[in-house]
Amino acid sequence: MFKKIDPSPDWLVYDNNPIMHQPIKDVTFPLTKEDEKVISKMISYVDASYEEKADKYNIKPGIGIAAIQIGYPKKIIYIHLDDKNGEHRYLMANPKILKESTMKMYLKNGEGCLSVKKNHKGLSIRKAIVWVKGIDLFTNKEIEVKASDLLAACFQHEIDHNNNQFYYHRINKNDPYHTESNWEKI
């Protein structure tokens, strides 16, 4: 259903493009041919990064992508990464954060985004643990995922795209590197 194709940097849409700020629609089923084509691009792009082939295809490496970043305003995200808990691979339609911890976290080196060219200095403050629900597009079943560490940050980052938000919206404008001692540093 989803075909691997050679990724292209031309697929990406950037934060200054009006499409990135329009409402994002829920996915309806069955998937359309256009849905499948966009999902194939999402998987191909991130998997090339995961397989360390970004240079080969001249693409900016990434661990996650939302359909809107390909210019497709539907709630689809794809994540493929390794962290201290192992390999994670999620292709999800209509993802929602059901619950989140009160504990906060941040990535010590800050965040980046495939759809942001300008470097925004500072730390994006996130929740340390999130519970995410959505339709797993590999199995076509509803799933719930409890995510922590890098995976939690990635889920929040990609779901933010479905709400027209970017990582730099979570940076403290007055004190971009503000942290508190009880926040988890990843």
Side-chain angles (χ1 to χ4, degrees), residues 71-99:
Y72 197 61
K74 286 198 178 177
K75 294 178 181 174
I76 306 167
I77 64 169
Y78 180 60
I79 295 169
H80 194 179
L81 61 87
D82 287 328
D83 66 10
K84 68 182 185 185
N85 299 312
E87 181 180 356
H88 305 281
R89 189 169 184 247
Y90 294 99
L91 176 63
M92 203 178 276
N94 306 326
K96 290 183 186 117
I97 295 176
L98 296 176
K99 189 167 75 167

Side-chain angles (χ1 to χ4, degrees), residues 46 50 62-65 77-90 97 104-112 124 126-130 132 145-159 184-186:
V46 174
Y50 183 83
I63 58 175
I65 195 167
I77 64 169
Y78 180 60
I79 295 169
H80 194 179
L81 61 87
D82 287 328
D83 66 10
K84 68 182 185 185
N85 299 312
E87 181 180 356
H88 305 281
R89 189 169 184 247
Y90 294 99
I97 295 176
K104 294 182 181 179
M105 60 91 84
Y106 60 94
L107 302 181
K108 64 184 174 190
N109 296 323
E111 289 184 29
S124 302
R126 306 248 179 222
K127 298 298 184 173
I129 302 171
V130 292
V132 179
V145 178
K146 179 182 178 184
S148 59
D149 300 310
L150 181 59
L151 182 61
C154 195
F155 266 119
Q156 291 169 83
H157 181 113
E158 300 311 332
I159 291 171
E184 191 174 349
K185 178 169 64 171
I186 305 294

Side-chain angles (χ1 to χ4, degrees), residues 2-8 11 36-51 53-54 57 59 62 65 70 78 89:
F2 308 124
K3 298 176 187 150
K4 283 278 188 130
I5 49 182
D6 289 347
S8 169
W11 293 349
E36 291 177 12
K37 182 179 170 188
V38 169
I39 292 167
S40 291
K41 286 181 174 182
M42 294 169 66
I43 292 170
S44 297
Y45 194 102
V46 174
D47 283 359
S49 298
Y50 183 83
E51 295 161 4
K53 295 179 181 173
Y57 296 110
I59 59 172
I65 195 167
I70 306 284
Y78 180 60
R89 189 169 184 247

